[in-house]
């Protein structure tokens, strides 16, 4: 239990440009995704799903992201378009977590959204516990319908974010965390 608590107390995000390979192999990835799916899910709805973006799929999606950016920013410099194209290529693997929350007779949509967030955090923790470094990001394209359509999201689905997974080339210094006295109330 000490190792688990130490991981939770010291976990840090590593920016995708600082993530190298190798990424998880298929057995490790299956373990990580299994842990990610073990979250509170009232009504057993599985109001989330995962899209694994690896190998050439990272470049293909990057082209779509860059084209979408260029359509909205026709004067964008070539280096900016290259930056957009490389968004998912830094880490060896990115996993998009899709929220499928929607109206339900018993389960409030808010609880379903929270379940998708919990699945994303479990994904981060599981990958870190497996020895990898991660970064959970959304960025502008996580909200752009053209990119979501390219990822195969239904019109009612939203993206909880992309979890980039790899090996940390370097671990950034920890950012300031809130003091418990500022965020905890005892009644």
């Amino acid at each position: 239990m000490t190792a688990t608590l130490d991981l939770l107390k010291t976990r840090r995000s590593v920016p995708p440009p600082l993530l190298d390979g190798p990424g998880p192999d298929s057995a490790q990835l299956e373990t990580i995704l299994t842990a990610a799916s073990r979250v509170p899910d009232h009504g057993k709805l599985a109001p989330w799903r995962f899209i694994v973006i690896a190998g050439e799929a990272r470049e293909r999606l990057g082209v779509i992201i860059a084209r979408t950016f260029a359509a909205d920013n026709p004067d964008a410099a070539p280096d900016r378009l290259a930056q957009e194209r490389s968004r998912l290529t830094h880490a060896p693997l990115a996993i998009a977590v899709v929220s499928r929350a929607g109206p339900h007779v018993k389960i409030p949509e808010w609880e379903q959204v929270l379940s998708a967030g919990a699945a994303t955090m479990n994904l981060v923790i599981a990958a870190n516990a497996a020895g990898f470094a991660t970064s959970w990001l959304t960025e502008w394209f996580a909200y752009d319908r053209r990119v979501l359509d390219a990822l195969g999201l239904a019109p009612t689905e939203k993206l909880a974010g992309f979890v980039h997974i790899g090996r940390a080339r370097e671990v950034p210094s920890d950012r300031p965390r809130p003091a418990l006295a500022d965020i905890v109330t005892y009644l």
Side-chain angles (χ1 to χ4, degrees):
M1 182 154 156
T2 302
T4 302
L5 288 175
D6 286 344
L7 171 65
L8 291 169
K9 288 176 14 181
T10 61
R11 185 210 63 81
R12 294 184 203 162
S13 294
V14 177
L18 298 179
L19 294 173
D20 292 328
D25 62 29
S26 58
Q28 291 169 316
L29 182 57
E30 184 174 334
T31 297
I32 291 166
L33 291 170
T34 298
S37 68
R38 297 289 301 231
V39 296
D41 174 14
H42 304 122
K44 301 178 191 121
L45 302 177
W48 30 259
R49 64 186 181 93
F50 307 107
I51 301 172
V52 178
I53 306 164
E56 292 179 11
R58 298 173 305 138
E59 287 89 9
R60 285 194 309 272
L61 190 53
V63 168
I64 293 166
I65 291 168
R67 279 190 198 142
T68 304
F69 185 84
D72 293 343
N73 302 278
D75 297 330
D79 60 330
R80 179 60 193 268
L81 294 177
Q83 176 188 1
E84 296 301 330
R85 194 171 31 261
S86 69
R87 291 246 185 213
L88 299 175
T89 61
H90 298 293
L93 176 72
I95 299 176
V97 182
V98 179
S99 172
R100 303 190 301 183
H104 188 274
V105 67
K106 285 179 143 181
I107 313 304
E109 191 168 339
W110 173 241
E111 287 187 18
Q112 297 173 53
V113 171
L114 290 172
S115 184
T120 309
M121 195 64 217
N122 264 20
L123 176 62
V124 166
I125 296 298
N128 280 264
F132 298 96
T134 59
S135 187
W136 173 3
L137 298 172
T138 48
E139 305 287 351
W140 66 268
F141 53 91
Y143 304 100
D144 190 288
R145 192 71 243 172
R146 296 163 292 183
V147 176
L148 299 180
D149 289 344
L151 279 166
L153 272 69
T156 57
E157 294 180 319
K158 295 180 181 175
L159 205 57
F162 293 93
V163 177
H164 303 258
I165 303 173
R167 306 277 181 183
R169 184 176 326 126
E170 65 182 80
V171 177
S173 59
D174 201 8
R175 65 178 171 81
R177 304 294 175 161
L180 290 181
D182 295 338
I183 61 171
V184 177
T185 303
Y186 293 93
L187 297 179

